[in-house]
Amino acid sequence: MLPRVLRMTLILVASLSACRSDSSSGTDAGPGGGDGGGTPPLNIEVCAQELAAPTTGTCDVAPGNGTATVIHGDVLGEGVVYENGTVVYGGTEITCVGCDCGSTAGFADATILSCAGAAISPGLINPHDHITFTEGSPINTGAKRYDHRHDWRGELSTPSNDHGEDGVKWGELRMLMSGVTAIVGSGGTPGLVRNLDRLQSEDRDLGFVGVDNATFSLGDSNESFRADCGWNYSDTDTEVGEMDAFLPHVAEGINDYAAEEFKCQSTSFGDAEDFTESNAAHIHSIGLKAPDYFNMARDGAKIIWSPRSNIALYGMTAEVQTFHRLGGDIALGTDWTYSGSANMTRELACADEFNSNHLNSYFSDRDLFEMATVNAALATASDSLIGSLAVGKLADIAIYGGTGRYYRAVIGAENENVALVVSAGNPLYGDEPLMAGLGKSCDPLDVCGNAKTVCANEEYGQAYAGLQGSVTGAYPAFFCGLPTGEPTCHPSRPNEFTGNASDTDNDGDGIANESDNCPDVFNPIRPIDNGTQLDNDGDSTGNACDDTPLLADLDADGEDNLTDNCPFDSNADQGDSDSDSKGDVCDICPETANPDSICQEVVAPGEAATIAEVQDGTFEEDDRVAVTGSIVTAVSDSGFWMQDPTNNGTHAGVHVFTNSAPGVTIGDQVDIDGTIAEYFDDTQLTNAVVVNNGAGTPIVPVAVTVADAATEPYESMLVTLTDATVSNLDYDCAVDNAICMDSGLWEVNSSIVVYDRAYGDADWDARKGNIDITGVMSYRFDKRRIQPRVAADLVAP
């Protein structure tokens, strides 16, 4: 794909002289199929080698005794399909892609998969799910539709997983079986699918960076509206600017509340916080207009689109074709099973259906495929490692057979069509003969009459059959045909529109053809549209089907949008004091260059302090302090805990929040310069400068009773509980706070919750219920918690 800025430039320049026809089929059934609204037609390179049809199933396999694996088939490469092409991987990485990888005879020691006619795809990436809510069956909303997410949150029953972490495993297994190798799930569990927002140490060793997810980035989980952008933001734009990838839920609705959400997260002026930058991907983005989409595309922010969930809840979805026309990148995510898709191929099916029936086939098959692969990688800052088949990237590969050719094989895939899924060179799921030929003997299962194996026991320490038995009543892991009770992908709203095409209403948006400014493209009137179909440039062609939906000069200052350094604020002089291509009138720090982000705050060094002084009230919240000589006691994917080795009493520990991988290990001696903050009554140091002085003397935990550990003086200290007894083996933290979705918890002495945030081993479930507990104390969702770090911190009595 062309770089975003270049693609947007070409689209806008071309649109000045020509109008694009929206009549392409988008099927990509062969060369030239579908122009995708600016994406080049299907590009096929037919390789010289001839592949025989497999003797049975999707692929034939010839096991080898070497380290390389060779896969022949229709390789879905970067912008090109290599028909009868080849992918080679060894270890964790891809070593060759294309037509010139050598003949089969040249791989005498390799394992060779010959998959004529099958699609060899990068593993799919799901950048939006709520995996701790994925166990339940879909909710039947009937004909009812809503205007905003807060409208249904209190009305629809959306319970968290009944079976805790096993429910999370089951949901991730469901994703794997559709070809997913990576997910952003607002939770997760080690094994099988890579959790991009809860990375394991092995993921970081491969080069992944953490994704920061925000379900309520405005701090409005209690449904409290704040006028004039006076929200209790989960992060500041400075903090977000330091993140590798930030995925906030924005504008999930079609009313003024949704529009306000975007307004307050797209600028640094007027008490707003600018989360519309190149490291952000906004989830949903339904309640936006063309200038908003231009704002996002211009700054490189992406959209994560969940059409099935949007349509089931609101009757409509984001105007993604407008965002794409303006140069934006779109990724695709499932949301959850309650109102969204069971897996990624079902979300692709919904996007395909909506595109064909309501967008006049604007998107090509390649466009849709890239939403689930390379664009999802871009949205999660993982594109250097996954998302496409390229030399040097990880061998995340999925093979699809039996549903069509090229991209269509992926878009139309059902569960039985997924022949193999490989993650970083490790086969995890697939047809039994292929898995066996790759040296994997895992858990057997029958998928719609096809013998498959999945490495659940290898990855989870829990066999597929055992996991299935532990989640009795859960939504199935796979389906033969359409998923049971699948939420609708057909747009409709009672008394507004039916979504059904007719002779008088081609697109089913409730507006007769003769009055419809986009008669063939779905663009109903929303509550935020003031009773009209949007037409920002006033040319009688609606934004939804207009190649150039914006006035050429939005702020009427004489400078075209494409070259205006403040396209939304009039500045005829184009003054830019710091030469960062942001005009002074729209630059929150006009004297300091910040071309790619918000203004980075310059912070003065903190005042020397001890941890005890941070914790006992000597210093106040927002004070900047410098703490030296502390020892790291525990580490998470977004921070660490440290303790004063000279303090043998209380108030000796504190949490340091770093937003991403902290780059320290247990036992390191560190110096910290940070700002004191109270995060829901848990004291921490934020915006911290961390100096790692190398290995120090590890802290010895202090032995305390549960009653003592559950008090403020032991917050963030490393303790061993001397009198713990299990009071609740499956603790539901929603009783502490309605928005808590943490899984795998248990409670001791009806007082302290055992929590895996800092746990680095993969056997949490096996250790559950152990009461010889060591860990770092914390406070979360109105409850004291202890956080074990390794298996030795959880010993059976």
Side-chain angles (χ1 to χ4, degrees):
M1 175 177 285
L2 293 171
R4 180 193 62 82
V5 174
L6 176 58
R7 180 157 53 88
M8 184 167 69
T9 301
L10 292 176
I11 291 169
L12 292 179
V13 170
S15 68
L16 295 178
S17 59
C19 292
R20 174 190 165 276
S21 170
D22 280 328
S23 62
S24 62
S25 68
T27 61
D28 285 356
D35 67 8
T39 300
L42 180 64
N43 180 18
I44 298 179
E45 182 175 340
V46 180
C47 301
Q49 66 179 343
E50 295 184 7
L51 301 179
T55 56
T56 184
T58 302
C59 307
D60 287 337
V61 57
N65 54 19
T67 59
T69 299
V70 179
I71 306 174
H72 300 303
D74 293 340
V75 176
L76 308 183
E78 293 186 314
V80 58
V81 174
Y82 298 101
E83 185 176 310
N84 296 336
T86 302
V87 176
V88 184
Y89 69 88
T92 62
E93 291 187 357
I94 295 171
T95 58
C96 189
V97 177
C99 290
D100 301 319
C101 294
S103 65
T104 298
F107 298 106
D109 295 327
T111 295
I112 299 174
L113 277 61
S114 185
C115 312
I120 318 303
S121 167
L124 305 187
I125 302 167
N126 183 1
H128 175 219
D129 202 291
H130 296 274
I131 205 71
T132 58
F133 287 82
T134 197
E135 187 182 324
S137 298
I139 296 168
N140 183 3
T141 60
K144 187 164 185 178
R145 299 291 181 264
Y146 302 88
D147 288 353
H148 191 271
R149 63 174 170 170
H150 290 329
D151 296 343
W152 58 259
R153 286 181 61 226
E155 180 177 320
L156 299 178
S157 176
T158 54
S160 58
N161 292 338
D162 290 337
H163 299 92
E165 190 169 8
D166 281 355
V168 173
K169 293 174 181 177
W170 191 247
E172 293 189 0
L173 181 71
R174 190 187 298 127
M175 290 298 162
L176 175 76
M177 293 172 70
S178 69
V180 171
T181 55
I183 187 173
V184 177
S186 298
T189 188
L192 282 184
V193 176
R194 186 182 300 110
N195 301 113
L196 297 176
D197 55 337
R198 293 191 61 165
L199 295 174
Q200 302 300 303
S201 57
E202 57 266 29
D203 301 322
R204 296 193 184 281
D205 290 342
L206 290 171
F208 286 95
V209 297
V211 171
D212 290 88
N213 219 2
T215 304
F216 298 102
S217 52
L218 292 173
D220 64 332
S221 61
N222 60 357
E223 305 182 19
S224 58
F225 182 81
R226 304 290 182 92
D228 301 320
C229 296
W231 304 96
N232 183 25
Y233 297 93
S234 64
D235 303 274
T236 67
D237 53 14
T238 300
E239 291 169 337
V240 169
E242 295 172 349
M243 298 175 184
D244 294 295
F246 182 57
L247 277 55
H249 287 59
V250 179
E252 188 183 345
I254 53 178
N255 58 8
D256 290 338
Y257 193 130
E260 187 79 3
E261 290 181 45
F262 179 77
K263 185 190 85 172
C264 295
Q265 295 179 88
S266 58
T267 177
S268 295
F269 290 88
D271 292 327
E273 300 287 343
D274 190 358
F275 301 153
T276 305
E277 298 289 348
S278 59
N279 67 333
H282 290 192
I283 298 170
H284 296 305
S285 299
I286 310 169
L288 302 185
K289 302 178 181 181
D292 302 324
Y293 290 129
F294 174 65
N295 189 358
M296 293 183 68
R298 181 176 181 272
D299 281 349
K302 295 85 177 168
I303 284 178
I304 297 177
W305 186 33
S306 296
R308 189 182 301 280
S309 186
N310 296 165
I311 290 168
L313 291 173
Y314 311 107
M316 60 184 76
T317 187
E319 206 169 271
V320 285
Q321 76 279 15
T322 299
F323 181 61
H324 185 269
R325 279 192 177 99
L326 294 170
D329 290 321
I330 304 159
L332 197 67
T334 56
D335 199 352
W336 57 0
T337 59
Y338 290 122
S339 59
S341 293
N343 57 47
M344 275 298 287
T345 54
R346 291 309 303 160
E347 193 67 24
L348 277 166
C350 177
D352 180 45
E353 175 186 336
F354 186 75
N355 178 55
S356 298
N357 295 341
H358 299 285
L359 298 183
N360 203 18
S361 296
Y362 172 85
F363 293 109
S364 70
D365 282 0
R366 173 182 159 188
D367 289 326
L368 297 174
F369 166 79
E370 289 182 344
M371 291 179 192
T373 53
V374 63
N375 288 358
L378 287 167
T380 55
S382 59
D383 53 299
S384 65
L385 296 170
I386 57 176
S388 62
L389 300 178
V391 174
K393 290 194 176 185
L394 294 177
D396 275 25
I397 300 170
I399 300 178
Y400 298 87
T403 57
R405 295 295 296 272
Y406 319 134
Y407 307 117
R408 179 55 47 181
V410 182
I411 295 167
E414 297 188 15
N415 279 121
E416 63 264 34
N417 305 129
V418 183
L420 184 69
V421 184
V422 177
S423 178
N426 182 21
L428 295 176
Y429 169 75
D431 293 346
E432 191 280 331
L434 299 188
M435 293 287 283
L438 291 166
K440 299 301 287 283
S441 177
C442 294
D443 311 342
L445 68 158
D446 182 291
V447 177
C448 310
N450 297 277
K452 308 269 189 181
T453 60
V454 62
C455 297
N457 193 48
E458 176 184 292
E459 294 283 304
Y460 288 149
Q462 191 172 6
Y464 175 82
L467 182 59
Q468 184 180 35
S470 74
V471 294
T472 302
Y475 202 45
F478 64 88
F479 302 88
C480 303
L482 295 180
T484 306
E486 182 175 63
T488 185
C489 197
H490 179 80
S492 68
R493 283 176 65 88
N495 303 316
E496 296 179 35
F497 56 85
T498 65
N500 297 320
S502 69
D503 292 340
T504 58
D505 181 9
N506 292 350
D507 53 15
D509 61 7
I511 301 163
N513 293 335
E514 63 269 19
S515 303
D516 195 336
N517 61 17
C518 287
D520 296 315
V521 175
F522 181 79
N523 62 333
I525 298 171
R526 306 169 298 176
I528 58 173
D529 295 337
N530 298 317
T532 62
Q533 289 180 298
L534 294 182
D535 177 17
N536 277 89
D537 60 2
D539 63 356
S540 298
T541 300
N543 293 345
C545 59
D546 193 341
D547 283 341
T548 56
L550 299 176
L551 291 169
D553 181 9
L554 283 170
D555 56 8
D557 62 1
E559 191 72 32
D560 188 273
N561 298 331
L562 198 60
T563 55
D564 196 337
N565 60 19
C566 286
F568 303 102
D569 300 279
S570 180
N571 63 332
D573 64 359
Q574 296 289 290
D576 182 12
S577 299
D578 55 13
S579 301
D580 63 356
S581 298
K582 293 184 178 182
D584 292 341
V585 302
C586 62
D587 192 343
I588 195 67
C589 48
E591 303 298 327
T592 303
N594 59 317
D596 299 319
S597 68
I598 47 79
C599 187
Q600 297 296 316
E601 182 181 359
V602 178
V603 181
E607 183 177 349
T610 65
I611 292 177
E613 290 172 331
V614 170
Q615 288 282 19
D616 67 11
T618 301
F619 290 89
E620 298 180 350
E621 190 172 3
D622 296 326
D623 284 348
R624 189 81 182 179
V625 295
V627 181
T628 60
S630 300
I631 300 296
V632 175
T633 54
V635 180
S636 74
D637 59 2
S638 61
F640 62 93
W641 289 260
M642 64 182 191
Q643 198 160 320
D644 184 346
T646 67
N647 182 353
N648 295 319
T650 56
H651 294 301
V654 72
H655 179 223
V656 181
F657 179 64
T658 59
N659 270 331
S660 57
V664 299
T665 58
I666 294 173
D668 285 349
Q669 185 192 69
V670 293
D671 299 333
I672 304 295
D673 195 300
T675 301
I676 298 174
E678 288 290 325
Y679 186 72
F680 295 103
D681 295 323
D682 189 55
T683 304
Q684 59 184 14
L685 297 176
T686 65
N687 300 324
V689 177
V690 180
V691 177
N692 189 341
N693 300 311
T697 302
I699 295 291
V700 176
V702 57
V704 295
T705 64
V706 171
D708 285 341
T711 61
E712 179 74 17
Y714 288 97
E715 181 179 282
S716 295
M717 285 184 59
L718 182 64
V719 303
T720 296
L721 304 181
T722 60
D723 60 345
T725 60
V726 174
S727 52
N728 189 336
L729 188 58
D730 293 300
Y731 190 76
D732 181 2
C733 63
V735 302
D736 304 322
N737 189 302
I739 68 171
C740 182
M741 299 183 292
D742 299 331
S743 61
L745 307 176
W746 74 93
E747 184 190 46
V748 295
N749 298 41
S750 301
S751 177
I752 289 176
V753 171
V754 188
Y755 179 38
D756 67 347
R757 184 180 181 186
Y759 198 70
D761 290 335
D763 61 346
W764 182 259
D765 278 355
R767 300 276 173 176
K768 193 172 183 180
N770 289 357
I771 55 174
D772 186 354
I773 306 171
T774 296
V776 173
M777 295 303 302
S778 69
Y779 191 76
R780 178 173 169 85
F781 289 121
D782 307 318
K783 187 88 168 183
R784 294 288 174 189
R785 299 189 179 193
I786 188 168
Q787 302 170 134
R789 305 156 301 166
V790 294
D793 286 345
L794 285 171
V795 181

